[in-house]
Amino acid sequence: EVQLVESGGGLVQPGGSLRLSCAASGFTFSTYWMGWVRQAPGKGLEWVAYIKIDGSDINYVDSVKGRFTISRDDAKNSLYLQMNSLRAEDTAIYYCARARGVYWGQGTLVTVSS
Amino acid sequence: DVVMTQSPLSLPVTLGQPASISCRSSQSLVYSDGYTYLSWFQQRPGQSPRRLIYRISNRDSGVPDRFSGSGSGTDFTLEISRVEAEDVGVYYCLQGTHWPWTFGQGTKVEIK
């Protein structure tokens, strides 16, 4: 059974940093693109970033470029999102997803507030 | 960025009746490999999104056959042949052809 389990969310002050993790199981992690999608409270979905196999290609939505870094550790079957210079508008549930969204985790809530 | 426009945004439906959601993109979603990366997702209250349909019309594993997708180019449709109580939630289309991948605003399906 495919499982994606996010962790690392929490309350952080504006300008602060957080590192999200996604532990994958039930499939050969190294052979799939992975991505992060966020959903602000009561709002729609926004695809934040993706990383291809071997990290060969990475892309970010403009609103997080230069502040967020997506990475993967295939030996640990894990996906990461390093988030720096956080802003109030980054407050959202962050979901880990495989490829173009065939599987999703349960999400982890990031709240940016003073 | 490609803008995905869904309609309607709210869809009250009688149990057992059909429902249809439209999704239009601001540009063609045909990728260089010939595929059209248009997907549909269901998000039930309090749950993570779940993909129902990929590449316009392919149902994901375990998705009931009352869900179907159609369309081409810039116009796409999700149809539910007979709405059941468990279909309540918000439905999103996603284009995965042009980066950034973008979702429609969402269509809230509720039972009348």
Side-chain angles (χ1 to χ4, degrees):
Chain A
E1 179 195 4
V2 171
Q3 282 201 319
L4 298 171
V5 180
E6 302 93 336
S7 61
L11 175 63
V12 61
Q13 291 189 339
S17 297
L18 275 180
R19 188 194 195 206
L20 306 184
S21 299
C22 171
S25 60
F27 65 100
T28 307
F29 180 77
S30 61
T31 63
Y32 287 93
W33 296 23
M34 297 294 298
W36 290 96
V37 182
R38 68 183 178 182
Q39 186 171 35
K43 302 296 184 182
L45 299 165
E46 179 180 42
W47 207 291
V48 173
Y50 75 75
I51 182 168
K52 286 189 178 179
I53 296 168
D54 291 334
S56 58
D57 187 25
I58 287 173
N59 256 312
Y60 302 95
V61 69
D62 280 352
S63 57
V64 308
K65 269 181 192 173
R67 300 188 300 122
F68 289 12
T69 302
I70 188 172
S71 62
R72 62 191 299 160
D73 185 335
D74 291 344
K76 294 183 177 180
N77 290 336
S78 292
L79 178 72
Y80 305 101
L81 187 67
Q82 177 67 43
M83 304 187 296
N84 299 330
S85 302
L86 282 162
R87 306 167 180 167
E89 54 265 34
D90 296 318
T91 294
I93 297 173
Y94 284 75
Y95 296 100
C96 164
R98 193 181 95 176
R100 285 182 172 86
V102 61
Y103 293 105
W104 298 61
Q106 84 289 348
T108 187
L109 177 62
V110 172
T111 303
V112 184
S113 174
S114 54
Chain B
D1 297 359
V2 176
V3 176
M4 304 298 287
T5 304
Q6 286 183 228
S7 63
L9 299 185
S10 178
L11 184 55
V13 187
T14 301
L15 286 173
Q17 292 301 302
S20 180
I21 301 170
S22 169
C23 177
R24 290 184 173 171
S25 58
S26 58
Q27 58 184 276
S28 172
L29 299 186
V30 180
Y31 192 54
S32 53
D33 61 6
Y35 288 116
T36 299
Y37 292 97
L38 186 285
S39 305
W40 289 95
F41 294 82
Q42 174 196 62
Q43 188 173 31
R44 291 171 172 154
Q47 294 188 13
S48 301
R50 167 199 183 195
R51 197 175 73 178
L52 303 174
I53 302 285
Y54 64 97
R55 281 195 260 128
I56 301 179
S57 60
N58 297 276
R59 260 192 312 275
D60 276 285
S61 177
V63 174
D65 61 7
R66 64 179 181 275
F67 290 94
S68 64
S70 63
S72 64
T74 62
D75 287 318
F76 307 93
T77 302
L78 175 71
E79 294 184 329
I80 310 173
S81 59
R82 295 172 305 280
V83 171
E84 298 189 5
E86 65 179 19
D87 299 335
V88 165
V90 181
Y91 291 76
Y92 298 91
C93 58
L94 165 71
Q95 69 82 17
T97 297
H98 306 284
W99 183 257
W101 301 339
T102 45
F103 292 89
Q105 319 97 299
T107 295
K108 187 173 184 178
V109 172
E110 59 183 11
I111 304 301
K112 279 184 187 174

